[in-house]
Amino acid sequence: MHIARPKAAANMLLPPIVPKALERLRRSVRRSPKGSLRFDFRPEWALAPEGWSTSVGSNGWLDPSIVDTQRQRWATYSDLITGTGPLGFHLFTSGSITTSDESAHNVFMTFAYVVARAALRRRELSILDWGGGIGYYALIAQRLLPEVALDYVIKELPGLADLGRELMPMVRFECEELRCFSRSYDLVLASSSIQYSQNWRALLTQLATAANEWLYIARVPIVRRAKSFVVVQRPYHYGYRTEYFSWVLNKDELLAHIGNQRLTLEREVLAGRTSRLRGAPESIENLGFLFRKQKTVDEDASLSAGPVGQTQRLR
């Protein structure tokens, strides 16, 4: 005999509006740094009409609750990644974790495609993961392409980098931009990160310069007609007691800037569901873009002079 859990039973017995209202009330509870509780009914996502000027005073990604939450969830997600099941889960959710989300699965398998493409005919692959957190993508790359030796570098903020060094000692974590850009990489990855940089154009120029051949900009919020604009996110129900600001980028603006960096678009990919934000000029798409660096005349001549038809066996 199956006995429903109390929460499930309540959902069956109460009118639909009641469980939804209770869930909204639960999500509105905020805990201050001193431990006191209060209610905050502001939406998770909202337009920031004043742009980045309103971000002053916010801890943003430096808030310690981010490191605390990621430490708590590392074991669960790392077990899913190193297992054999589908990668159909989002890394940060507010409820129970499922592995059947097709959108999340598409994001991870697209990343695997990008890494495999960059690793073709290579025994080793160097990767710069800009804003790579505590190393989930590094673990995915290691698990899905075990034949390739990875030289994996993650650029992160100090708190996340310290936690990453503890959990992923095989990855090099850097906090200083100059150290990251003191060398080049076979693949440069920026997943859900460039939009959090106020001067995203300057950052993209640096990332493009650091890429020997491949640049993958993933999970970028995009609009097609409206100009780029700024939004604020309050991710309280993920366990983050902070808010941060980010861009929603115009697709043509992004591609035009990348086109100036001697890169060509190889593939545009879907990177999440389309969303609608109240007051926004149009629906927001989540997209990814894989770029390849154009070869110069000298580079083409050097390649054509080499042996033809030889491939390396991946170890």
Side-chain angles (χ1 to χ4, degrees):
M1 178 179 178
H2 174 71
I3 300 177
R5 295 180 179 178
K7 182 178 179 181
N11 288 342
M12 290 187 291
L13 295 173
L14 295 172
I17 192 172
V18 175
K20 290 181 180 179
L22 291 174
E23 177 63 15
R24 183 183 179 191
L25 188 64
R26 183 188 69 81
R27 290 190 176 192
S28 69
V29 176
R30 310 286 181 253
R31 185 178 296 276
S32 72
K34 295 182 179 180
S36 60
L37 298 178
R38 63 184 178 87
F39 289 103
D40 186 344
F41 292 101
R42 292 178 298 175
E44 178 184 351
W45 291 93
L47 293 177
E50 303 301 321
W52 288 88
S53 62
T54 52
S55 66
V56 177
S58 171
N59 284 340
W61 286 96
L62 292 171
D63 192 272
S65 63
I66 294 177
V67 174
D68 293 342
T69 300
Q70 297 211 19
R71 179 185 292 277
Q72 294 169 9
R73 299 179 180 179
W74 167 258
T76 299
Y77 290 120
S78 60
D79 285 348
L80 290 173
I81 292 170
T82 55
T84 58
L87 300 178
F89 55 88
H90 292 283
L91 287 173
F92 301 102
T93 61
S94 58
S96 59
I97 299 173
T98 66
T99 59
S100 58
D101 189 295
E102 294 179 356
S103 174
H105 188 267
N106 182 64
V107 168
F108 290 141
M109 298 312 292
T110 299
F111 167 69
Y113 155 75
V114 169
V115 176
R117 184 85 187 276
L120 186 65
R121 293 189 294 273
R122 297 180 187 273
R123 294 181 181 271
E124 299 181 357
L125 184 71
S126 60
I127 300 176
L128 171 62
D129 186 347
W130 190 268
I134 57 177
Y136 287 114
Y137 276 88
L139 192 62
I140 291 171
Q142 182 185 63
R143 180 69 177 90
L144 296 185
L145 281 91
E147 300 85 358
V148 181
L150 298 176
D151 172 14
Y152 208 103
V153 179
I154 291 178
K155 163 63 173 68
E156 256 306 342
L157 298 170
L160 288 169
D162 288 342
L163 179 58
R165 294 185 188 104
E166 175 187 333
L167 300 174
M168 292 284 289
M170 69 290 295
V171 173
R172 183 157 65 92
F173 288 83
E174 296 286 0
C175 299
E176 299 179 10
E177 292 188 12
L178 290 178
R179 290 180 63 88
C180 290
F181 294 133
S182 63
R183 54 170 289 194
S184 58
Y185 307 84
D186 301 318
L187 168 64
V188 174
L189 161 71
S191 178
S192 190
S193 60
I194 67 165
Q195 60 264 35
Y196 295 104
S197 177
Q198 184 173 357
N199 192 348
W200 61 269
R201 290 182 177 85
L203 173 59
L204 270 183
T205 298
Q206 291 177 299
L207 295 176
T209 302
N212 280 333
E213 185 172 9
W214 300 96
L215 173 65
Y216 181 42
I217 307 299
R219 299 174 60 212
V220 185
I222 291 291
V223 287
R224 296 177 182 269
R225 299 182 303 276
K227 293 182 179 180
S228 300
F229 56 90
V230 180
V231 296
V232 58
Q233 183 184 6
R234 306 179 183 95
Y236 305 135
H237 63 280
Y238 299 124
Y240 296 170
R241 297 191 300 270
T242 186
E243 62 181 35
Y244 30 71
F245 290 72
S246 62
W247 287 102
V248 175
L249 296 175
N250 175 274
K251 181 181 177 182
D252 290 339
E253 286 183 52
L254 174 66
L255 295 182
H257 185 77
I258 288 290
N260 293 330
Q261 311 305 317
R262 204 160 60 86
L263 290 161
T264 56
L265 178 63
E266 282 274 316
R267 179 67 58 182
E268 176 182 324
V269 299
L270 302 178
R273 299 181 180 90
T274 298
S275 58
R276 183 70 186 174
L277 180 63
R278 179 178 295 180
E282 61 181 281
S283 296
I284 300 171
E285 301 176 72
N286 284 285
L287 301 178
F289 305 92
L290 176 62
F291 301 94
R292 192 172 192 178
K293 183 159 287 186
Q294 302 168 12
K295 300 295 184 182
T296 65
V297 174
D298 291 340
E299 288 171 332
D300 283 336
S302 175
L303 289 175
S304 62
V308 178
Q310 296 183 7
T311 61
Q312 295 178 319
R313 182 172 60 87
L314 298 179
R315 64 184 182 194

